[in-house]
Structures are given as structure tokens and as C-alpha cells.
Amino acid sequence: MSEAIAGTIERVTFHNPDNGFVVLRALVKGERHPVTVVGQVARAIAGEYLDATGAWHEDPEHGRQFKADSIRTAAPSSIEGIEKYLGSGLVKGIGPQYAHRIVAVFGEKTLDIIDESPTFLKEVKGIGPHRIQKIRQSWQQQKAVRDIMLFLQSHGISAGRAVRIYKTYGDQAVAKVRANPYALADDIWGIGFQTADELARKLGIDAHAPARAGAALRYALTQFADEGHCAATETQVLERAAKLTGIRREVLETAVNTALEQKEMIRDAGLA
């Protein structure tokens, strides 16, 4: 039976940026001491608020752990959490010492100040224009990464896949996914047509859109290849793509012509 826990990340013990696998130590409600949480999340920072679902597990080597099926994090709201968060190295120009000074001046409003009015940081001893600019740029970059990850995960993309998408597309991830989610099946390892198609539906892509038709043709051809065929007739490909997706025949025929023009497919005159 799935359980839910919530609390604050005390320490990030391990994080694999390639697949999002993470081992955390966290203070969670109902537990007297920090507990170990393992799972997948695009990014985790000490001090962040943690919300996870999963189940408790007794590991033979590491003891009691919470194995999370899903992990969500959010910026901290407490003074202690904010100081730990900023002191983690997340933002260039702010280490533990400056984090302590900044929080001492701005308290619970610290993150709002950095986000909306970073010039006020000059009120903190030792922070000048150069450091403020460094902090501003790093903060905006980190905020962009978080927004991309939240967008992807809010549309059902797992943490591991979200990491791979961001690594491939960078800051253009949201724009590229919105423009053509079917490109994910071609560009991202581990994402196939069905996953891309589900995301496309959530984004409101029309069921008979040209991008979907083109992806359906490639999906049908991939199935033929998986079955051991080195080629298939145009009729076979059209029929299978239509059966798999329900796309109208004329839309698929147009997609075939487009694919031929762009040299994404090859027509062999010897195949009937």
C-alpha cells in the first residue's frame, strides 16, 4: 500500500544527474530522526521541501528506507531551510557564509528578494555589484531549469526522462516539446511513440495533426522492422498506422509525401 511522507531535505547523499536517481536524508513529519529516501527526481537541494509517495523498506545493507515512487520538491519557506538551501552551492556567489548573512537581513523574504529585487542584496555586508550580478544570473538559470522540470513532470514525464529531455534540449526544452512532442520519440532514448503521443494529447495536439501522422508512419515502420522485415509496402504501412492511431487515410498519405520529400522515407518502385 502506497504511503505519503513530507518534510525537509537535510542532505543529498547521492544524485545521478543522468537518470535522476537520488538518495536523500530528510526530516519528515512523524519521524524523530532523519530518514533515508531513495527514488528519482530531476534535482534535489538541501533545505528544500519534500513531498513523496512510496513505501517503507528494510534494506539488508543500509537499513530502513523510504522507497519513493514519486518525489516532488519545492523551495523552502522556513528561515533554517532557506539558509541551508542557499548555502548548498545552488546559486553561484552564495556559499554558507553569505547565505547566513543574507537570511539574517531578509529572513523569510530572502528568496523573494533574490527573485524580484536582487539589488537589495547590497544591504548585506560584503556583497557588491559584481557579486549581485553573479547571483542574479545564476538564480535565473536555476529558476529556468526548475520551471522546465516542473512543466515536464506536471505532464506525466518521469524524473529520469525529464533529465534526459533537458540534457538534450537545454533551455529550449519547453518550447521544443510544446512545438512537437513527437520529436521526443526520435531524439530521446527511452521515449517511444506511445509516450510522446500521450504527452501530445495532454498538450492538446490535434489527433490528425501532420506531426502525429509522420510519427505514426515511423512507428509503423519500426514495428515492421522489429518483426524482421527490411521493407513494407506503402499500403501496409498506411493500414497499420491508421489502425494504431485512427488517423484519417488522406492525412497519412500527405505525411508519406512529406516524408519522401524530406528524405525521411524511401519509396522503392519494386514494392507493390
Side-chain angles (χ1 to χ4, degrees):
M1 183 177 177
S2 183
E3 298 180 57
I5 62 170
T8 304
I9 299 173
E10 281 285 292
R11 184 175 73 250
V12 179
T13 303
F14 175 80
H15 185 220
N16 184 335
D18 293 327
N19 59 19
F21 178 75
V22 70
V23 179
L24 307 171
R25 292 289 287 174
L27 283 172
V28 303
K29 296 175 182 177
E31 298 287 333
R32 295 181 60 186
H33 303 289
V35 301
T36 299
V37 180
V38 298
Q40 279 190 312
V41 65
R43 191 181 66 171
I45 308 295
E48 284 186 311
Y49 180 77
L50 169 88
D51 188 3
T53 58
W56 291 101
H57 169 75
E58 193 68 34
D59 185 90
E61 184 176 353
H62 302 291
R64 186 169 179 255
Q65 299 178 339
F66 188 82
K67 296 188 72 172
D69 299 319
S70 70
I71 298 175
R72 291 189 178 276
T73 60
S77 56
S78 69
I79 291 176
E80 294 80 5
I82 293 170
E83 183 173 337
K84 187 181 292 290
Y85 182 68
L86 291 178
S88 68
L90 170 72
V91 182
K92 292 179 181 178
I94 302 179
Q97 184 178 13
Y98 277 110
H100 179 73
R101 292 183 190 177
I102 293 169
V103 173
V105 174
F106 299 112
E108 294 178 355
K109 297 181 179 179
T110 295
L111 299 185
D112 290 334
I113 292 294
I114 295 174
D115 188 37
E116 299 170 8
S117 307
T119 53
F120 286 156
L121 292 174
K122 64 185 179 182
E123 297 178 18
V124 179
K125 183 179 179 181
I127 296 184
H130 178 71
R131 187 176 295 274
I132 289 175
Q133 183 61 19
K134 191 175 183 180
I135 291 170
R136 185 202 303 268
Q137 291 176 345
S138 180
W139 179 262
Q140 291 303 319
Q141 183 181 33
Q142 294 297 331
K143 185 179 179 182
V145 173
R146 175 176 291 280
D147 289 346
I148 289 168
M149 294 303 181
L150 287 175
F151 169 81
L152 294 172
Q153 291 183 277
S154 69
H155 287 84
I157 300 296
S158 69
R161 286 172 171 170
V163 169
R164 291 198 292 274
I165 292 170
Y166 179 72
K167 280 182 169 290
T168 301
Y169 294 149
D171 293 343
Q172 298 300 310
V174 172
K176 285 181 175 291
V177 171
R178 283 191 182 278
N180 183 12
Y182 293 100
L184 295 174
D186 299 320
D187 299 339
I188 312 297
W189 176 84
I191 296 182
F193 172 81
Q194 291 174 317
T195 300
D197 197 36
E198 182 179 348
L199 175 59
R201 286 199 299 272
K202 292 178 180 178
L203 292 173
I205 303 295
D206 186 81
H208 300 283
R212 185 170 189 253
L217 293 173
R218 293 191 293 274
Y219 181 43
L221 283 169
T222 299
Q223 287 200 336
F224 280 117
D226 291 342
E227 293 166 4
H229 303 287
C230 60
T233 67
E234 186 172 328
T235 298
Q236 287 175 322
V237 175
L238 288 169
E239 288 179 349
R240 179 167 293 194
K243 183 178 179 181
L244 290 169
T245 63
I247 298 174
R248 294 190 299 269
R249 177 70 174 245
E250 63 270 21
V251 176
L252 290 168
E253 289 174 347
T254 300
V256 167
N257 293 328
T258 300
L260 290 170
E261 291 172 2
Q262 297 177 352
K263 301 187 184 305
E264 295 176 351
M265 294 173 62
I266 299 173
R267 177 184 278 145
D268 188 333
L271 285 175

